[in-house]
Amino acid sequence: AARSREADPLLEERLRRLIGSLPPKQRMAVILRYGEEMDVEEIGRMLDIPVRTVWTYLRRAIEFMREKASRYLKEEKSGPTR
């Protein structure tokens, strides 16, 4: 149980890369929401955009990261290509 609570540096680095590969507006929304734990209303005020736009950025960012992570995992499972 204690092991599962420890940070995984490799996983953290992969997540940082995924977030870093997002378009700037989506990246900012993700960082503010999940990194700074701001609510969507605060993010909207800070970025001067409607709340629905914040939700759209977050949804698109998560979809993008899921797709990219899924492709990465498939490549990792199949091994190196020659």
Side-chain angles (χ1 to χ4, degrees):
R3 174 89 175 127
S4 65
R5 291 186 200 129
E6 292 177 16
D8 180 346
L10 184 57
L11 183 59
E12 288 179 8
E13 178 59 28
R14 287 180 182 168
L15 183 57
R16 267 194 283 289
R17 286 184 184 183
L18 275 175
I19 293 170
S21 70
L22 291 170
K25 292 178 182 179
Q26 292 177 14
R27 182 173 53 245
M28 182 59 67
V30 167
I31 290 169
L32 293 174
R33 178 73 170 133
Y34 301 106
E36 300 298 321
E37 298 180 359
M38 294 175 68
D39 63 36
V40 291
E41 290 82 12
E42 290 176 299
I43 297 169
R45 284 192 302 274
M46 183 176 196
L47 300 179
D48 196 29
I49 58 176
V51 171
R52 286 177 93 39
T53 302
V54 175
W55 282 117
T56 298
Y57 287 167
L58 292 170
R59 180 182 49 80
R60 288 179 181 167
I62 291 168
E63 287 173 4
F64 176 85
M65 289 189 297
R66 279 184 181 151
E67 173 62 30
K68 202 164 185 176
S70 175
R71 277 187 275 146
Y72 176 80
L73 291 173
K74 285 178 186 174
E75 289 172 6
E76 194 174 72
K77 278 186 178 180
S78 66
T81 55
R82 295 178 188 212

